[in-house]
Amino acid sequence: MSSFRFSALLLLAVCIVGSQALYFYLEGSEKKCFIEDLPKETMVIGVYKSEQFSDSHNEWIENKEVKMEITVEELPQGHRIVDTKGASSGRFTFTSTESGDHAICLSTSSNAWFDNTKTRVTFDMDFDDPTDHHDHHAEGVSGK
């Protein structure tokens, strides 16, 4: 019986550690950036989901009208390696061409002149370090 408890606890710990998504809020077309120090030739998989608060439902819901803009720049050169507009939820991938800091930025795209809508973005990244010789798969990215 103690073997079963240990296995259950181990499984729970793996599930908790495997999912490291975070969420943040954007006001209108505000942009949030994350700076990551990446080795050369590191594959990055980003998964995101944007939601807006519905007063009528009293909860955060996905608005299919919202478009997300994703940019990635190698710093300090400012070399842009990703510049895309995606759906309200989705994923993106890129491979770093140089080692060093990379600015990974997300923002909402709006056609309104003065959009102050609050958007909650859930965001997760998975890194495949080329110096790590273990077998990794992208299935570990949360938000499947």
Side-chain angles (χ1 to χ4, degrees), residues 104-140:
I104 303 163
C105 303
L106 293 95
S107 64
T108 58
S109 175
S110 172
N111 293 330
W113 282 82
F114 299 103
D115 183 12
N116 63 354
T117 306
K118 192 171 192 174
T119 304
R120 180 173 72 180
V121 179
T122 304
F123 184 50
D124 190 17
M125 286 188 289
D126 189 34
F127 304 90
D128 184 17
D129 185 347
T131 61
D132 185 1
H133 299 292
H134 299 352
D135 187 23
H136 294 285
H137 299 285
E139 290 85 12

Side-chain angles (χ1 to χ4, degrees), residues 1-11:
M1 185 67 167
S2 67
S3 170
F4 173 74
R5 286 184 189 158
F6 177 76
S7 297
L9 286 174
L10 182 60
L11 179 61

Side-chain angles (χ1 to χ4, degrees), residues 38-100:
L38 301 173
K40 186 176 183 176
E41 298 180 3
T42 298
M43 184 174 74
V44 177
I45 301 168
V47 178
Y48 64 90
K49 178 180 179 181
S50 66
E51 299 171 297
Q52 294 179 331
F53 192 79
S54 167
D55 289 328
S56 61
H57 293 95
N58 198 30
E59 66 180 332
W60 292 93
I61 60 171
E62 187 173 358
N63 179 353
K64 301 290 185 182
E65 303 285 320
V66 172
K67 301 294 182 215
M68 294 295 295
E69 292 185 26
I70 298 107
T71 60
V72 178
E73 288 185 7
E74 294 177 329
L75 303 175
Q77 304 87 343
H79 178 239
R80 190 166 282 192
I81 56 176
V82 175
D83 188 359
T84 188
K85 212 179 260 195
S88 58
S89 65
R91 61 186 273 151
F92 63 92
T93 62
F94 70 92
T95 301
S96 59
T97 57
E98 298 294 329
S99 60

